[in-house]
Amino acid sequence: MPKRKVPVGTPKNAETDVKESKSFAKYAGLALLAAFVAVALSFRSSLVSQPALNQDIVVARATPDAPQRLRWNVTCDAQYQPAKGCTPSQCARVLRDNFVSVDEVQQLRDIAERIMRSGGGSGGPTIFDLNSGALSKGDKFIDLYTQLKNGGQPSPFSEPDRLLLLEVLERVKAAVVDEFGVAPSRLWLTTPTFFSRIRSDAVAVTMNDEYWHEHIDRIAYGSFVYSSLIYLSDYGTDFEGGEFVFVDGQRTHTIHPAKGRFHLFTSGSENVHYVAKVTRGVRHALTIAFTCDKAKGVDDFLSKSRF
């Protein structure tokens, strides 16, 4: 098989409609990558071309006969920085259905859609980072929090919104602790934490709109050790395409997104993955990730949204 080439680069002309704060400036060169959710903020790109594959295994379908709770172990790569009580000793992929309720899915979707009405990516993907307030708008990003604050407008989150987001965050952290035996005090939320929306009716405008390339989260984001997705729409009903695909040599393992489905995996090269192109409809997801490096952790991911 030919050696895969990894193009590296970030957008050079990301601008904001308002003066950027230091915390937002680091997101001005956001790269949209195909992560669990398919779209990501990143300083570096770790895209690789998709190989010719000879076998695809659908691990979890969108409409199973019964709710699923799956775990399959994989061998960790050797690049994890040792962190006592946090670094995975056994890498894995985990899936839990009904991780969030029907009502919670709807509330999370409502939050995302309400916020994204203030922006919208021109090339298909739209992302909103809850930590920084970075929101896709056209082929750039705006700092929504600063824009609203300077305009004398209220925070985009109501108190029930905040309570739900914090509850979901704690639920995800508890799942990481449960599945990987991590000490809670050694695990920190890391950035970005973001909603993603991918529309099928838009053509990619920039390289960063091409969310369907393979990548590795630990390389793409730098701080990720445990990656997770919560799906907010149904494969086959709300959209076609958009499957989450692990690449294991000449074999792929595919997960169909489904409302309320939670997907957790270690972020190293043992879990190379991509999201297939969305061919019909709109795909929604929420990405939450954790790190073992306190310096890269976030104490209050909604702090900037309070004004």
Side-chain angles (χ1 to χ4, degrees):
M1 180 185 300
K3 184 178 180 180
R4 300 172 189 167
K5 296 182 179 180
V6 183
V8 178
T10 55
K12 296 181 179 179
N13 297 316
E15 300 174 352
T16 60
D17 290 350
V18 296
K19 185 177 180 181
E20 296 174 344
S21 66
K22 289 182 179 180
S23 64
F24 180 70
K26 72 177 184 178
Y27 289 100
L30 301 176
L32 295 175
L33 304 171
F36 55 42
V37 52
V39 192
L41 296 167
S42 176
F43 307 117
R44 294 168 293 168
S45 171
S46 64
L47 306 181
V48 295
S49 59
Q50 295 174 19
L53 300 164
N54 57 25
Q55 186 176 10
D56 176 61
I57 299 170
V58 178
V59 177
R61 298 188 181 278
T63 54
D65 294 333
Q68 299 187 68
R69 181 163 178 160
L70 307 173
R71 175 185 171 119
W72 59 109
N73 294 333
V74 292
T75 302
C76 296
D77 75 15
Q79 302 302 314
Y80 286 100
Q81 295 296 318
K84 185 178 179 180
C86 186
T87 305
S89 58
Q90 175 64 71
C91 291
R93 303 161 185 174
V94 174
L95 183 142
R96 298 183 186 181
D97 282 342
N98 301 327
F99 188 77
V100 295
S101 70
V102 172
D103 288 344
E104 289 171 331
V105 167
Q106 188 59 56
Q107 187 177 347
L108 291 168
R109 275 275 296 268
D110 288 347
I111 294 169
E113 290 289 4
R114 185 174 69 244
I115 288 172
M116 289 178 182
R117 282 197 290 270
S118 297
S122 59
T126 297
I127 56 174
F128 174 68
D129 176 40
L130 289 93
N131 299 277
S132 68
L135 173 65
S136 306
K137 188 170 185 178
D139 60 354
K140 302 178 176 64
F141 295 87
I142 62 170
D143 180 349
L144 181 64
Y145 294 154
T146 299
Q147 188 176 59
L148 292 175
K149 183 178 180 180
N150 290 350
Q153 299 179 64
S155 168
F157 302 121
S158 66
E159 191 57 27
D161 293 341
R162 293 180 194 281
L163 291 174
L164 175 59
L165 290 167
L166 291 169
E167 161 60 25
V168 170
L169 171 65
E170 288 304 315
R171 206 178 300 172
V172 173
K173 183 175 182 178
V176 176
V177 170
D178 177 51
E179 292 288 349
F180 294 98
V182 177
S185 61
R186 302 280 184 171
L187 189 66
W188 290 273
L189 177 72
T190 192
T191 58
T193 302
F194 61 95
F195 286 109
S196 64
R197 181 185 70 193
I198 306 177
R199 293 170 28 235
S200 64
D201 61 352
V203 178
V205 175
T206 69
M207 181 191 75
N208 299 310
D209 294 328
E210 297 181 5
Y211 57 84
W212 50 83
H213 298 281
E214 291 178 28
H215 70 284
I216 299 164
D217 281 0
R218 185 178 54 77
I219 296 176
Y221 302 103
S223 61
F224 283 26
V225 177
Y226 300 99
S227 304
S228 77
L229 292 145
I230 296 173
Y231 295 110
L232 306 177
S233 53
D234 285 328
Y235 171 85
T237 302
D238 297 313
F239 64 93
E240 298 285 351
E243 303 97 324
F244 187 102
V245 183
F246 287 112
V247 179
D248 300 308
Q250 294 300 302
R251 175 179 296 177
T252 62
H253 292 88
T254 296
I255 291 173
H256 292 170
K259 289 179 181 176
R261 175 169 284 173
F262 171 66
H263 183 200
L264 169 67
F265 54 96
T266 46
S267 308
S269 63
E270 70 279 354
N271 282 321
V272 177
H273 59 276
Y274 67 93
V275 171
K277 291 182 181 180
V278 175
T279 58
R280 179 187 65 79
V282 184
R283 181 187 192 271
H284 292 83
L286 171 62
T287 294
I288 300 173
F290 288 87
T291 185
C292 297
D293 185 348
K294 185 176 181 179
K296 296 177 181 177
V298 177
D299 290 326
D300 182 358
F301 75 110
L302 294 176
S303 61
K304 195 183 173 190
S305 71
R306 295 186 177 93
F307 49 82

